[in-house]
Amino acid sequence: MADIVASNRDRLLQAAVEAKTFAYVPYSKFRVGAALLTEDGEIIKGANIENASYGGTICAERTAFVKAVSEGKRKFAALAVTTDVASPIAPCGMCRQVIREFCSPDMPILLAASSYMEKEDGVRESTLGELLPFSFGPEDLERDRG
């Protein structure tokens, strides 16, 4: 799995930057782009889409997962996320839980600063397990109840 991530790292980060350009953020002005790498090397992009009711807003990470899952993709190798902020920003709690629904805790998540190519520390490499420790996942529903 590490090989597919390493060989697609730059392409994945660039796809997150491209996705960010399609963000619809008339209220917060906070653009986010996400790019999801499938185990077979396909990249699915997502941007945050805001709504006047606020509750109808969907984050970039969830947009990418909804697009992928609705097209039959269920196995993922990595996720990249970027914003217009000068330092890396991590997914919100709701997105972390959605990621956990489809990904193992050891899945790499690349958090890219807006100018990540100009900085040595512009990409923070993490895992879902680091971002969501002691997580609840689908396998927990199979546990004995007593």
Side-chain angles (χ1 to χ4, degrees):
M1 187 69 72
D3 289 342
I4 190 171
V5 176
S7 64
N8 286 285
R9 185 180 190 273
D10 291 341
R11 196 168 70 95
L12 186 63
L13 289 165
Q14 185 56 42
V17 170
E18 291 168 6
K20 183 176 65 172
T21 65
F22 297 109
Y24 175 74
V25 291
Y27 310 107
S28 73
K29 311 289 190 260
F30 194 89
R31 298 184 314 156
V32 181
L36 184 58
L37 179 65
T38 66
E39 284 189 353
D40 63 2
E42 184 179 349
I43 293 178
I44 294 99
K45 297 185 267 190
N48 54 328
I49 310 295
E50 293 180 346
N51 185 281
S53 73
Y54 296 110
T57 294
I58 184 168
C59 300
E61 300 91 333
R62 286 184 288 140
T63 299
F65 274 92
V66 167
K67 286 172 62 178
V69 172
S70 67
E71 294 296 324
K73 311 280 191 259
R74 300 283 195 287
K75 296 182 185 270
F76 306 104
L79 174 70
V81 180
T82 190
T83 69
D84 291 322
V85 176
S87 59
I89 301 285
C92 74
M94 187 181 294
C95 286
R96 293 176 197 205
Q97 188 61 49
V98 169
I99 296 165
R100 178 62 179 88
E101 182 70 18
F102 298 100
C103 303
S104 66
D106 63 347
M107 188 185 83
I109 299 179
L110 308 175
L111 308 172
S114 60
S115 57
Y116 74 92
M117 292 183 8
E118 301 166 14
K119 297 179 171 185
E120 189 172 312
D121 62 346
V123 178
R124 180 179 300 144
E125 296 190 20
S126 190
T127 64
L128 177 57
E130 291 169 347
L131 295 176
L132 190 64
F134 308 106
S135 66
F136 180 83
E139 69 280 357
D140 292 309
L141 294 173
E142 303 302 320
R143 290 183 181 216
D144 289 336
R145 293 169 179 85

